[in-house]
Amino acid sequence: MWNELRELYRYRELLWTLVLRELRVRYKNSYLGFFWSLIVPLVTVAVLTIVFKRVMGMVIPNYSAYVLAAFLPWMYFQTALLDSSQSVLAQIQLVKKVYFPREVLPLAAVLANLIHFVLALLVFFVYLLGYVGAPLLPSVVLLPVLVFFQTLLIAGLSLIISCLNVFYEDTKYIVSIGLQLMFYLVPVIYFSEQVYHAQLASPEWQRWIYLVYHLNPIAMLMTAYRKILLPPITVQQIGAVQKQTFASLPMDWGLLAVACGVSVLIFVLGYAFFNKRKWDFAEQP
Amino acid sequence: MKDTAILLEHVSKSYRLSHQPYSSLKGILLSMFRYRRRIEVHQALNDVSLTIRHGETVGLIGVNGSGKSTLLAIIARVIRPNAGRIEVNGRVAPLLQLGVGFHPDLTGLENVYFNGIILGLTRQQIAERLPSIVRFAELEEFIDTPVRAYSSGMVLRLGFAVAVHTDPEIILMDEVLAVGDEAFQHKCLRKIQEFQHEGRTILLVSHDMNQVRQVATRTVWLHQGRVMADGAPEEVVTQYLAFTEEMERRAI
């Protein structure tokens, strides 16, 4: 593993060139260019806000800020995985001819999306301070930590997915379906507090459901993004039968540590898996 | 530098060829219902030993599927052999086939950087060699145009220009010259001769026997993954042509 990482470091200039190429190519033929990376989340969040406030009856001040705080990391997760699933296969002709550490291909896709994510976060802060007028919390200093562990998680998954997709092209379809389902298993359109107070659950089960739900590292990371970026909030939902109120829960640091640990583990395992198979890529007919 | 550029000792490589390739879920599911999986092992290289010294120009000949490209891929470190030892002393530059490594939406210049870096140059080195690369490719006017607008000859020239400017000690050419027009082929041959004078090592896969006779200093004939003959181009080419004629006669 260390040898592979050292070789990767030797090829860092190639990795960086690939990242720049991805960024350049993505919006090369569009007039609005990078703004598409902002328009997509902003339009999505606007629609979600209208639906959840007006139709579903969520009473939350600045709901859109809370959605955006989780939706941007979700976009990063989703687009990075989808982009990287094709990354090796798209360059298979090059892979068959030239020696270079194969992991630069999926990693470049991840890093290009990381840059988009960071730029989107800057816009988020402008929105937060300018439009919403919310004060910046001191816990914002933890943001780079979350981004770091999320990137490790994404990189680990990307290595597995891009490798499998060379041998089985079904992988990209499975990933795409998996992501669509996963969207409902992470707190973007709802709040983790609502999971805690899940309907049907007797009080002694609540804690367990909350725990199991957050063992999914991406779900925990997104709960964490919300909690470090925005002040705690009391969620009110006006349902057909009764009005429900969900008090804010404090950040569960233990669960966050588990999520970070799982992210590191997935990266290590993903890289080991990729390394085991990466010299078979060129043999694919 | 060592005298030996490339050393292959008892190198073997086999591929698993399945008649029902498991490249899709459907394939896997279907194969479960089959009585017997038909997986064949194709021996692409079979106990090949070769020593190539610096400054040699080796022509690799043989019918399709004889293992020439596999041999180049192993020397380029793209494929790992199943058995045997391989030693390569010096920087290897594979000449890429038409359009490989080029992005159609990027300009010629942007593609030069990408190609150069993937072949092992630094940005600095590319910047220094840029004027020479562009001049060699004869693309002064079009270097800021997206490659999509290039003719295939222009793409070929640019790819070749980058590769020859990577200052490689060992150059791998897999049928790359077959595509260009007359003028380009002449230019490439001149460049190859220049490389030969500079003492670089060239491995050339070709089906053009005249070209092999013309440029190679040594020729290796591969058949079914084995070295059939290895020696002076004239002799080996003659043997090979006699063999293929015999094959054709038997086929009729």
Side-chain angles (χ1 to χ4, degrees):
Chain A
M1 180 112 174
W2 291 117
N3 283 338
E4 312 277 354
L5 280 171
R6 204 172 303 132
E7 184 73 351
L8 180 62
Y9 181 73
R10 261 189 0 104
Y11 277 80
R12 61 193 179 281
E13 207 169 5
L14 173 61
L15 179 60
W16 183 235
T17 308
L18 270 167
V19 171
L20 289 181
R21 188 167 98 139
E22 293 245 340
L23 293 175
R24 230 180 249 146
V25 165
R26 182 170 312 182
Y27 299 119
K28 190 89 181 177
N29 294 319
S30 63
Y31 286 107
L32 295 177
F34 167 72
F35 285 99
W36 280 115
S37 292
L38 297 175
I39 292 167
V40 174
L42 290 179
V43 169
T44 313
V45 167
V47 171
L48 288 175
T49 305
I50 293 166
V51 170
F52 279 84
K53 274 190 135 161
R54 301 292 161 207
V55 183
M56 307 289 283
M58 300 266 245
V59 184
I60 304 149
N62 301 319
Y63 177 70
S64 59
Y66 287 86
V67 176
L68 209 51
F71 189 71
L72 292 178
W74 172 256
M75 276 266 293
Y76 172 34
F77 184 75
Q78 183 177 31
T79 50
L81 290 191
L82 288 176
D83 283 358
S84 56
S85 69
Q86 285 284 73
S87 59
V88 177
L89 206 55
Q91 297 295 336
I92 197 77
Q93 289 307 323
L94 206 54
V95 164
K96 284 182 179 195
K97 289 288 169 192
V98 191
Y99 170 87
F100 58 90
R102 276 68 178 96
E103 53 271 34
V104 298
L105 297 171
L107 292 182
V110 173
L111 291 180
N113 278 292
L114 171 62
I115 290 172
H116 275 277
F117 176 47
V118 169
L119 292 174
L121 277 178
L122 293 178
V123 175
F124 172 75
F125 280 117
V126 172
Y127 173 77
L128 200 62
L129 301 175
Y131 175 72
V132 181
L136 224 47
L137 302 174
S139 55
V140 163
V141 296
L142 286 174
L143 182 61
V145 179
L146 293 188
V147 174
F148 174 76
F149 282 104
Q150 194 191 351
T151 303
L152 274 188
L153 173 68
I154 293 173
L157 293 173
S158 294
L159 287 164
I160 298 171
I161 292 166
S162 60
C163 176
L164 282 177
N165 199 52
V166 175
F167 305 108
Y168 311 106
E169 282 191 56
D170 307 82
T171 309
K172 63 170 185 280
Y173 301 111
I174 294 171
V175 168
S176 146
I177 295 167
L179 283 167
Q180 276 184 35
L181 297 178
M182 183 66 91
F183 182 72
Y184 298 100
L185 284 175
V186 294
V188 177
I189 51 179
Y190 54 86
F191 287 76
S192 51
E193 280 76 9
Q194 287 167 292
V195 175
Y196 190 86
H197 296 286
Q199 312 265 339
L200 307 173
S202 56
E204 63 267 31
W205 280 97
Q206 284 179 344
R207 163 114 202 107
W208 286 104
I209 290 173
Y210 189 77
L211 184 88
V212 170
Y213 177 85
H214 282 111
L215 284 181
N216 173 4
I218 187 68
M220 185 57 220
L221 284 169
M222 287 170 60
T223 298
Y225 274 109
R226 263 196 188 139
K227 291 198 184 295
I228 68 156
L229 289 174
L230 295 163
I233 196 156
T234 301
V235 179
Q236 284 191 341
Q237 190 175 2
I238 305 162
V241 188
Q242 80 222 54
K243 187 172 135 183
Q244 279 187 295
T245 303
F246 310 107
S248 178
L249 293 167
M251 171 88 98
D252 192 326
W253 296 102
L255 275 175
L256 182 60
V258 170
C260 293
V262 170
S263 301
V264 173
L265 189 70
I266 287 179
F267 177 76
V268 172
L269 291 178
Y271 198 25
F273 175 73
F274 191 89
N275 285 334
K276 214 171 141 87
R277 298 301 301 271
K278 68 180 174 184
W279 297 113
D280 298 340
F281 294 163
E283 294 177 22
Q284 278 304 99
Chain B
M1 205 194 312
K2 285 184 187 169
D3 189 37
T4 312
I6 300 163
L7 179 73
L8 295 158
E9 278 178 350
H10 308 290
V11 170
S12 292
K13 177 72 200 176
S14 58
Y15 297 115
R16 288 159 62 87
L17 287 182
S18 52
H19 289 275
Q20 170 66 60
Y22 301 146
S23 55
S24 70
L25 201 60
K26 190 179 145 205
I28 296 173
L29 292 177
L30 279 177
S31 71
M32 286 177 181
F33 298 103
R34 290 249 165 78
Y35 177 61
R36 190 169 59 96
R37 286 178 183 179
R38 290 177 62 204
I39 292 180
E40 226 174 67
V41 175
H42 172 66
Q43 195 75 29
L45 287 179
N46 198 344
D47 195 23
V48 171
S49 295
L50 271 181
T51 308
I52 296 168
R53 284 187 308 280
H54 280 290
E56 280 190 304
T57 302
V58 180
L60 281 173
I61 60 173
V63 294
N64 289 330
S66 55
K68 309 183 294 291
S69 296
T70 303
L71 190 63
L72 284 200
I74 284 178
I75 292 168
R77 290 195 295 164
V78 167
I79 284 179
R80 298 195 165 168
N82 301 114
R85 204 173 72 86
I86 165 162
E87 196 185 303
V88 177
N89 300 307
R91 214 147 65 89
V92 178
L95 285 194
L96 301 177
Q97 269 136 348
L98 183 62
V100 172
F102 278 85
H103 198 293
D105 286 341
L106 296 178
T107 67
L109 189 71
E110 289 166 333
N111 273 302
V112 165
Y113 272 93
F114 178 68
N115 259 262
I117 283 170
I118 211 157
L119 292 176
L121 291 182
T122 62
R123 288 195 154 263
Q124 170 98 40
Q125 286 171 320
I126 298 166
E128 286 163 10
R129 295 167 198 191
L130 197 58
S132 174
I133 292 173
V134 177
R135 202 176 328 117
F136 186 89
E138 299 167 27
L139 287 171
E140 288 90 344
E141 292 163 57
F142 302 101
I143 200 67
D144 291 317
T145 311
V147 163
R148 177 157 32 98
Y150 283 21
S151 71
S152 55
M154 289 158 88
V155 177
L156 193 67
R157 289 207 299 271
L158 194 57
F160 192 79
V162 176
V164 297
H165 281 85
T166 55
D167 202 23
E169 275 123 18
I170 299 160
I171 301 149
L172 308 178
M173 307 173 97
D174 192 350
E175 291 271 11
V176 276
L177 301 183
V179 248
D181 62 12
E182 202 76 4
F184 176 70
Q185 292 211 357
H186 275 292
K187 193 168 187 167
C188 293
L189 285 177
R190 273 204 306 281
K191 195 70 194 176
I192 289 174
Q193 279 156 3
E194 201 182 306
F195 278 152
Q196 290 174 324
H197 288 304
E198 290 164 356
R200 297 177 204 266
T201 313
I202 301 169
L203 261 81
L204 172 87
V205 167
S206 183
H207 286 292
D208 181 349
M209 291 306 135
N210 288 328
Q211 197 180 61
V212 172
R213 283 201 189 99
Q214 201 182 340
V215 297
T217 58
R218 173 181 167 190
T219 298
V220 174
W221 167 24
L222 286 175
H223 188 68
Q224 291 179 347
R226 289 176 193 277
V227 177
M228 297 287 278
D230 177 357
E234 198 55 51
E235 286 166 32
V236 177
V237 166
T238 311
Q239 279 181 34
Y240 171 65
L241 289 178
F243 175 81
T244 47
E245 259 173 46
E246 177 67 28
M247 292 274 279
E248 269 169 38
R249 227 193 355 253
R250 267 190 230 162
I252 297 165

